[in-house]
Amino acid sequence: MMAEILSVSFLAGLLAATLRMATPIVLAMLGEIITERAGVLNLGIEGTMLFGAMTGFLVTMSTGSAWLGVLAAAGVGMLLALLMAFLVVFLGLSQHVSGLGITLFATGLSMFVYRLHFGSPTVPPTVTPMTKVAIPLLSRIPIIGPGLFNQYVLTYAAMILIPAVWVLMYRTRIGLTVRTVGENPMAADTVGGNVNLVRTLALVAGGALMGIGGSFLTLAHQNMFLRDVIGGRGWVAVAMVIFGNWNPGRGTIGALMFGLLDGLQLRLQGWGLPIPFDVFLMVPYVLTIFALVSVSRRAAAPAALLKPYRREVRG
Amino acid sequence: MRTVLVKRGPIPSWSRAVTPLGAIAVTLLLSAVPILIAGAPLFRSYGALFYGALGTRFNVLETLVKSSPLILTGLAVAFAFRAKFWNIGAEGQLLAGAIVATWIGVTFGSLPRFVMLPLVMVGGFFAGGLWAVIPAVLKTRLNVDDVVSTLLLNFVMIHIMGALLFGVLQKEGAGWPISEEIFDSAKYPFLLARSRFHLGIPLAFLLVFAVWFVNERTVFGYRSLAVGTNLHAARFAGIPTTRVIVMTAVISGGLAGLAGVGEVAAIQFHLLADISPGYGYTGIVIAMLGALHPLGVLLASLFFSVINVGAQTMSRMTGVPSYISGVIEGLSLIVMLVALLLNEYRLKVVAS
Amino acid sequence: MDVHSTTGNTPAVAMHGVTKRFLDNVANDSIDFSVGVGEICALLGENGAGKTTLMNILFGYYGADEGTIEVYGEPRTFTSPREAIAAGIGMVHQHFALVPTHTVLENVVVGTGKGLFLDRAGARSRLEALKERFRLSVPSDAPVWQLSIGEQQKVEILKALYRDSRILIMDEPTAVLSPSETPQLFRTLRTLTSGGRSVIFISHKLHEVMEIADRVVVLRNGQKVHERSTSDTTVQDLSRMMVGHEVRSNRTEPWHTGGATVCRIDGLSVEDDKELPAVDDLVLELREGEILGLAGVSGNGQTELCDALFGMRLPSAGAVRVVDRHGTVRVLEPGRPYAAVAAGMARIPEDRMHTGLMTSLTVEQNLVLESHAAPPWNRHGLLDWAGIGTHAEELIGAYNIRTQSRRERAGSLSGGNLQKVILARELSTNPRLIVASQPTRGLDVGAMESIHARLREERARGAAILLISDDLDEILQLSDRVAVMYEGRIMGEQTGGGIDREQIGLWMSGVVQ
């Protein structure tokens, strides 16, 4: 068995699977980080991902272009984020409840639209999945090459977005404004920042990433839409935001860990070990909980998270 | 120009009563859009929906049957949320209850019914309750966010169940995940002829009253509310907040566990991978829709049950996919949230 | 009446007939207000007189219902602070609008500049130049939470200057400063005006207003009642205008001598949230029938001391001994609020909205927050709501709580009535020991007097009272003994007729003889 684990193809495959499995989580997590940094917890994430997955699949099916599918997924993610913004930013309703409401609504709508369009076929319809793109030269490096540099474009995009979101948050003017809005909206307001606009835009940007993250699952990872295609990855992304202390880099470590376990679990399954398959499936969730325990003491959530902002109060 | 929310004066009680009805009306109006998009005639569709849910004695009883797990998970979530223990884990707690009920039900066949039935119920209750203690302790002792931990524990429990259904609980010789049938002594008795109206339904109604009584009349219910209203001030007042939260979790998880018991002991008689079509998650919506009040939970559960059962008939008669029920449920929550807000505030356009 | 200022030219700001209503309450009633170029104008008034509201309107934070605003002679309407800032107006709020986890530089530059990226280097050199010019020394790269309150105020002033504010509104700037930091602030303000900037100084402290301002405008109940050059008026005049009647500044009642010791705080040390020492080896004794006033500028460990006494914070050293109802001495179990309740300590916390009460529960529910689990209300786990209701009605009457009914949500009561709910709950058990922290902060004169009267009654009954307040006048009016807290330590103590205001002021500034 050791020989098997250390074989070149196994390691390369595992590395590739790690990045692939981490992709949707990274995308959704980055979206959630942007949103939460502005002070809004978006628990609509799971439903937004599912609706993105369904829309991406449907549009790809009808147009034949996976990229149009991804674009449509981003679009519906933004629409759901606007609905969320209406509820929690404009009306100031509970972020917990509104987010869960959106997840429920989007889940129902995804299944409804899918059924409406495809009926209940015995064999689920499929699309031609996106193809992997090998980066010249780099992909020829042993193990690492096929592992890291022969991936879907969305995976590369997710990896590039990690530093990009970090730069956006910590090195740009808009990033500073977003963080200020999430920490102390009054500080942003008194220097002329429009708190509710910033929050709405952060939600919309985050929603787009969540939608794209969902579409990766139906357009690249798999080529069909199933009811449990997201399988809690949205919730894992929320956990990773906390694990990463609202920092894209640290959150990615968690997402990669999750991806690694996911990838490992698929491989171990093939070996016919005398342990039920579900035990492996459980491991990533259990470890995520342990990871949360380990970081909970130093957790530094944005101070204004969950708090609606209103100016017209008696001063 | 911008709009602001201005608080209204005291809310008349008739308005409180009318609001949910208005919200339901608006929801059904909005849900007309997907029904029309599906190409179905609107009135015939809604007609089919209500006939399917309430048209005959059998349909009414079936709707009640469907409502019992919703009432229990709704109560579970409402009880937890009242103490601001964000229990999104009723699904996992339900499964825990179902697993233990099954294990007892297939193991202790020699016990008489009057021992077996309480044993199954108590076992299922504590299975769910103890599963909910984990996030409660993580929250109070280690400051782990309860929303996330309860969510993740759902997936852990799904896979524990999967492992058991492919392992020790799997039916002899079965190639798919299903347990042995539980002994008859562990099954809930059916109370009305020619229907599946079982013991779990009056039990759920009784628990609605019990939860109301605990909330309104007991020291524990008052403390639970105080903890949920303002944890800091509750601690200041000398209330043992950790103990209150953990106890709240036990009761909440236990109620969800009983929902699992009901599905095993009255509906399926086996443990199956899809024993719950997401009752735990629906319970969250029901709790919110019922404004965390036991009576509200009861009414919201009945409403959802009507929609769920009716959507099947509507699907058969007019071809609208039965998933419309999910859309209606999601919409109803969003509409209700807005309606409750507008009950207290009005929108005002101001110059600046 | 001389309305305009030293320069005689167009005023920097002129507000005419400004009216602002909140629900049924008129916060500003047709107020005219102006400030000249290079002038320091004080806006004087009691809590709730409408000072802050008027300035929030000028700053674009609220919209006025009626009235006009001119800035440097041009009519303006600001719909947001952004527009006010662009017109050269800056405001330093009483509660600083800073992000504690961000650095000074980040707090200053947020919302300024052009382009996508933050120009840290450019911003830094500009900030350093401002710090140099106005002698406002703060570390640019330190997170704000590490700074003292005085330094945080400097950050707020720098924020305004960084945005080229020509008109600076300072809302109660000295409330948070120690007496020794105030002259430094005043020097800064004079430097600003000598360069042609204008300052609006909101305050309710008469002596300060006389010292710093060129002119003073007095508001009372939302109306302008007085406007004078400070050279043409006196403290007595201003005081009468501000309160609406003559105030006695001298204490008329005798001092009481304490009896037996009821509580001993022994070498107590407590750390704050940053794990820095906040209370340092503190010793105090509280005696029967005596009010001990603990004076000090807020932020010198009073909050942490209270938290430790109330069981809300674990002390790092020391003990608190209390004589309970039965006359036995017990050491309070640290870190357990219930221990303080059980020992019979009446606790009036400084944050009544979030600690003392639950605003979304009813008055009745709030009245039994501490006693619900004990007889007679707790009957085998069930609550006797009927009995609680009768009890609540009695307390509402006895403490004159203005509420629609005992089932009214506490949150809809006024601040004074909320405090009465707390007093009713805490004092109805006839406690031997009362710890009251900032009991009248933010309350109007009427509510304040009734709470003072209640504390005097409790003293007469024989209770030992620890009164913690950053309002020195309140301390001097009520206390029989005064101790001064500075940086977590007791600087000194004076008793009865020996209490000397000047000496106490020095101690509050940390000056030791």
Side-chain angles (χ1 to χ4, degrees):
Chain A
M1 196 190 276
M2 277 319 272
E4 248 180 289
I5 287 174
L6 292 174
S7 79
V8 170
S9 69
F10 177 84
L11 284 180
L14 184 61
L15 211 54
T18 299
L19 284 192
R20 190 173 70 240
M21 297 301 205
T23 301
I25 295 171
V26 166
L27 286 168
M29 176 196 75
L30 292 175
E32 187 72 32
I33 285 179
I34 295 172
T35 308
E36 290 193 26
R37 273 291 180 189
V40 182
L41 173 73
N42 188 355
L43 290 182
I45 186 168
E46 182 87 3
T48 306
M49 287 179 82
L50 187 68
F51 202 51
M54 193 282 300
T55 308
F57 179 80
L58 197 70
V59 169
T60 304
M61 191 112 203
S62 356
T63 65
S65 160
W67 288 109
L68 279 180
V70 171
L71 210 62
V76 296
M78 287 154 96
L79 283 180
L80 286 172
L82 275 178
L83 177 58
M84 180 77 181
F86 172 73
L87 297 174
V88 303
V89 178
F90 181 69
L91 294 179
L93 293 167
S94 155
Q95 295 182 7
H96 279 133
V97 180
S98 305
L100 290 168
I102 286 191
T103 283
L104 184 87
F105 170 67
T107 304
L109 200 60
S110 303
M111 295 309 299
F112 177 78
V113 172
Y114 180 83
R115 245 341 134 74
L116 197 60
H117 202 268
F118 296 103
S120 357
T122 41
V123 180
T126 56
V127 291
T128 322
M130 297 178 130
T131 47
K132 290 181 180 165
V133 178
I135 296 180
L137 298 178
L138 289 178
S139 60
R140 294 181 179 275
I141 305 169
I143 304 181
I144 296 176
L148 300 183
F149 299 110
N150 185 16
Q151 296 284 358
Y152 299 106
V153 175
L154 278 180
T155 303
Y156 297 127
M159 298 304 142
I160 292 166
L161 272 172
I162 298 159
V165 169
W166 186 86
V167 168
L168 177 75
M169 283 294 148
Y170 295 97
R171 288 289 177 266
T172 66
R173 296 198 313 118
I174 179 76
L176 180 58
T177 304
V178 168
R179 287 188 293 132
T180 302
V181 163
E183 294 284 348
N184 183 351
M186 193 199 166
D189 196 2
T190 51
V191 297
N194 186 335
V195 173
N196 288 349
L197 182 68
V198 168
R199 288 187 164 173
T200 303
L201 292 177
L203 269 166
V204 167
L209 288 176
M210 292 167 193
I212 296 173
S215 72
F216 178 85
L217 289 164
T218 46
L219 298 180
H221 177 60
Q222 294 175 0
N223 59 349
M224 59 178 93
F225 176 80
L226 300 168
R227 192 194 158 95
D228 57 353
V229 64
I230 307 298
R233 285 180 176 86
W235 309 132
V236 170
V238 174
M240 290 310 151
V241 173
I242 300 171
F243 174 72
N245 226 350
W246 290 265
N247 185 316
R250 267 190 267 174
T252 301
I253 296 172
L256 287 174
M257 179 194 80
F258 200 90
L260 174 72
L261 289 166
D262 227 6
L264 200 60
Q265 159 265 120
L266 275 176
R267 274 155 185 74
L268 293 179
Q269 228 186 103
W271 292 357
L273 297 178
I275 304 168
F277 169 45
D278 280 282
V279 174
F280 295 113
L281 289 174
M282 192 193 309
V283 171
Y285 297 101
V286 174
L287 285 184
T288 304
I289 293 171
F290 276 109
L292 286 181
V293 171
S294 71
V295 298
S296 61
R297 293 234 175 257
R298 61 175 169 81
L305 193 66
L306 301 175
K307 296 182 184 126
Y309 182 67
R310 294 209 194 301
R311 193 191 288 167
E312 197 88 359
V313 287
R314 184 63 209 266
Chain B
M1 291 273 277
R2 68 198 170 93
T3 50
V4 292
L5 292 168
V6 183
K7 207 164 173 61
R8 294 181 198 266
I11 308 154
S13 50
W14 62 263
S15 161
R16 279 181 202 282
V18 166
T19 305
L21 294 176
I24 287 175
V26 173
T27 302
L28 293 180
L29 212 63
L30 288 174
S31 306
V33 176
I35 291 173
L36 290 174
I37 289 176
L42 190 61
F43 288 102
R44 219 163 70 81
S45 298
Y46 277 138
L49 187 139
F50 286 108
Y51 176 80
L54 305 165
T56 67
R57 171 183 179 273
F58 179 80
N59 293 3
V60 170
L61 292 177
E62 228 8 59
T63 300
L64 286 174
V65 168
K66 284 282 186 211
S67 75
S68 94
L70 297 179
I71 294 171
L72 290 171
T73 54
L75 284 177
V77 175
F79 194 72
F81 278 20
R82 188 168 170 271
K84 288 237 170 57
F85 172 56
W86 293 104
N87 184 9
I88 318 293
E91 184 76 4
Q93 292 140 19
L94 179 152
L95 296 180
I99 290 168
V100 169
T102 307
W103 174 69
I104 295 172
V106 298
T107 310
F108 303 103
S110 54
L111 292 176
R113 184 171 224 178
F114 71 89
V115 180
M116 188 71 158
L117 259 186
L119 191 65
V120 166
M121 288 186 197
V122 170
F125 182 91
F126 280 105
L130 291 177
W131 191 242
V133 164
I134 299 172
V137 170
L138 289 177
K139 173 192 168 93
T140 52
R141 291 277 171 228
L142 297 168
N143 191 29
V144 175
D145 185 69
D146 39 353
V147 172
V148 177
S149 64
T150 51
L151 265 170
L152 292 173
L153 283 167
N154 286 343
F155 292 92
V156 175
M157 188 47 80
I158 286 171
H159 295 307
I160 288 177
M161 180 174 74
L164 292 171
L165 281 178
F166 277 114
V168 292
L169 281 181
Q170 191 169 23
K171 183 177 181 171
E172 195 116 338
W176 63 95
I178 188 167
S179 74
E180 299 281 356
E181 185 170 335
I182 56 171
F183 286 103
D184 283 350
S185 56
K187 293 176 185 169
Y188 282 2
F190 291 99
L191 305 175
L192 294 176
R194 290 173 290 113
S195 80
R196 298 198 291 168
F197 188 93
H198 57 78
L199 178 69
I201 297 159
L203 179 73
F205 277 73
L206 191 71
L207 285 170
V208 168
F209 174 76
V211 169
W212 172 84
F213 186 81
V214 169
N215 283 349
E216 301 296 324
R217 290 282 177 267
T218 67
V219 171
F220 178 75
Y222 171 79
R223 291 185 152 191
S224 182
L225 176 68
V227 164
T229 304
N230 182 339
L231 184 65
H232 180 73
R235 205 166 90 75
F236 180 81
I239 294 171
T241 52
T242 300
R243 211 164 70 205
V244 170
I245 292 173
V246 171
M247 266 302 286
T248 303
V250 170
I251 295 175
S252 168
L255 289 166
L258 279 180
V261 174
E263 289 310 287
V264 170
I267 308 293
Q268 307 286 359
F269 308 128
H270 301 266
L271 187 63
L272 326 153
D274 52 358
I275 186 102
S276 163
Y279 288 136
Y281 297 108
T282 313
I284 300 167
V285 187
I286 286 172
M288 296 314 308
L289 213 53
L292 308 188
H293 192 283
L295 195 66
V297 165
L298 176 66
L299 296 176
S301 304
L302 292 173
F303 171 62
F304 271 35
S305 195
V306 165
I307 299 291
N308 273 320
V309 175
Q312 304 292 334
T313 312
M314 177 164 75
S315 175
R316 273 196 307 278
M317 290 175 69
T318 63
V320 177
S322 62
Y323 286 107
I324 188 73
S325 59
V327 179
I328 298 178
E329 289 167 9
L331 274 176
S332 68
L333 176 64
I334 294 170
V335 171
M336 186 70 179
L337 284 175
V338 176
L340 286 176
L341 185 87
L342 292 182
N343 219 359
E344 268 188 73
Y345 297 87
R346 64 193 162 81
L347 282 176
K348 186 185 161 196
V349 181
V350 294
S352 67
Chain C
M1 201 180 278
D2 172 22
V3 172
H4 286 293
S5 56
T6 46
T7 57
N9 297 329
T10 323
V13 170
M15 303 173 83
H16 302 290
V18 170
T19 297
K20 176 72 181 171
R21 297 180 198 91
F22 290 101
L23 290 179
D24 45 352
N25 175 351
V26 181
N28 289 156
D29 186 1
S30 190
I31 294 179
D32 294 329
F33 175 80
S34 70
V35 58
V37 174
E39 186 190 36
I40 300 182
C41 179
L43 198 50
L44 183 73
E46 289 200 296
N47 285 319
K51 308 173 301 245
T52 305
T53 303
L54 184 67
M55 288 302 107
N56 272 328
I57 289 169
L58 176 59
F59 189 54
Y61 201 71
Y62 295 154
D65 297 326
E66 287 160 34
T68 57
I69 300 173
E70 284 169 32
V71 179
Y72 295 112
E74 271 183 55
R76 308 294 292 251
T77 33
F78 302 131
T79 59
S80 78
R82 174 180 288 277
E83 294 167 20
I85 292 166
I89 298 171
M91 181 160 179
V92 177
H93 286 87
Q94 192 176 1
H95 302 287
F96 301 146
L98 296 171
V99 177
T101 51
H102 289 181
T103 65
V104 170
L105 185 66
E106 286 175 322
N107 270 289
V108 169
V109 303
V110 63
T112 66
K114 287 197 177 66
L116 176 62
F117 290 96
L118 280 175
D119 175 15
R120 276 179 198 256
R124 184 185 305 274
S125 63
R126 193 165 138 74
L127 177 61
E128 295 302 326
L130 284 173
K131 278 158 62 176
E132 182 83 4
R133 182 166 156 210
F134 294 102
R135 279 189 240 130
L136 292 162
S137 64
V138 278
S140 299
D141 294 311
V144 161
W145 64 264
Q146 288 179 346
L147 305 183
S148 72
I149 297 290
E151 286 174 312
Q152 293 186 18
Q153 189 174 64
K154 290 179 189 167
V155 177
E156 282 282 23
I157 296 174
L158 284 166
K159 245 168 91 176
L161 295 175
Y162 192 89
R163 288 163 175 74
D164 289 322
S165 296
R166 309 285 303 159
I167 301 153
L168 188 66
I169 307 164
M170 303 285 297
D171 191 359
E172 303 266 2
T174 58
V176 293
L177 299 181
S178 72
S180 68
E181 285 172 309
T182 304
Q184 209 191 334
L185 170 71
F186 285 1
R187 276 197 297 279
T188 307
L189 295 184
R190 288 201 187 92
T191 319
L192 292 175
T193 49
S194 67
R197 288 179 170 79
S198 309
V199 172
I200 302 169
F201 183 93
I202 304 179
S203 180
H204 64 263
K205 296 184 183 165
L206 303 166
H207 293 279
E208 282 176 1
V209 164
M210 291 299 284
E211 187 187 336
I212 185 73
D214 302 313
R215 197 161 50 87
V216 54
V217 171
V218 183
L219 299 189
R220 191 172 70 222
N221 294 329
Q223 288 175 319
K224 183 163 89 175
V225 292
H226 194 58
E227 177 168 15
R228 274 299 149 77
S229 290
T230 39
S231 50
D232 294 346
T233 190
T234 62
V235 168
Q236 284 71 26
D237 267 352
L238 290 180
S239 154
R240 203 179 50 247
M241 296 310 295
M242 183 168 94
V243 181
H245 57 83
E246 206 76 46
V247 276
R248 297 183 306 265
S249 55
N250 291 332
R251 180 174 169 129
T252 48
E253 60 175 309
W255 289 276
H256 298 242
T257 313
T261 300
V262 174
C263 171
R264 215 182 123 75
I265 300 169
D266 232 346
L268 197 70
S269 295
V270 190
E271 289 178 349
D272 63 14
D273 291 338
K274 304 170 198 167
E275 296 180 5
L276 301 171
V279 177
D280 186 7
D281 197 18
L282 186 123
V283 178
L284 277 180
E285 230 172 71
L286 306 177
R287 302 192 193 109
E288 248 171 25
E290 183 192 58
I291 297 180
L292 169 61
L294 189 59
V297 178
S298 63
N300 274 290
Q302 297 95 322
T303 304
E304 288 80 5
L305 170 65
C306 277
D307 283 355
L309 290 177
F310 295 166
M312 296 296 280
R313 195 182 279 269
L314 213 51
S316 52
V320 180
R321 285 182 180 78
V322 174
V323 180
D324 70 10
R325 276 172 226 287
H326 313 291
T328 42
V329 179
R330 32 167 150 172
V331 177
L332 274 193
E333 191 185 336
R336 279 201 59 205
Y338 187 70
V341 178
M345 181 197 291
R347 306 169 304 157
I348 298 159
E350 75 177 74
D351 184 355
R352 53 183 162 268
M353 299 290 278
H354 298 107
T355 306
L357 288 169
M358 302 196 179
T359 46
S360 56
L361 296 192
T362 64
V363 170
E364 167 182 72
Q365 286 169 324
N366 270 295
L367 284 170
V368 292
L369 262 180
E370 287 172 5
S371 57
H372 66 272
W377 313 137
N378 180 354
R379 291 184 178 163
H380 314 291
L382 301 187
L383 281 174
D384 173 17
W385 280 115
I388 291 171
T390 319
H391 175 67
E393 294 290 355
E394 281 168 19
L395 291 183
I396 288 169
Y399 286 78
N400 193 21
I401 300 167
R402 299 266 168 79
T403 172
Q404 305 244 320
S405 86
R406 59 174 206 264
R407 299 262 165 84
E408 176 98 7
R409 277 182 57 238
S412 54
L413 270 59
S414 72
N417 282 299
L418 280 179
Q419 192 69 311
K420 286 184 201 163
V421 172
I422 296 182
L423 288 177
R425 183 180 77 206
E426 299 293 326
L427 304 183
S428 59
T429 53
N430 293 330
R432 294 184 69 162
L433 172 63
I434 300 168
V435 178
S437 179
Q438 318 290 356
T440 60
R441 188 186 270 175
L443 300 185
D444 61 43
V445 181
M448 189 153 137
E449 279 171 358
S450 87
I451 283 161
H452 285 175
R454 183 65 71 174
L455 288 177
R456 287 195 184 95
E457 276 170 36
E458 292 296 316
R459 168 177 58 194
R461 189 179 54 78
I465 301 176
L466 175 61
L467 170 69
I468 301 169
S469 175
D470 50 19
D471 179 350
L472 188 53
D473 292 325
E474 174 170 60
I475 294 267
L476 294 179
Q477 267 178 38
L478 287 176
S479 310
D480 307 302
R481 195 150 57 92
V482 176
V484 179
M485 198 165 174
Y486 177 78
E487 292 193 340
R489 263 180 266 214
I490 298 297
M491 296 293 289
E493 202 179 292
Q494 291 183 328
T495 309
I499 296 174
D500 170 23
R501 188 182 186 119
E502 209 154 299
Q503 177 60 56
I504 287 173
L506 285 173
W507 279 338
M508 283 168 71
S509 306
V511 180
V512 213
Q513 256 78 33

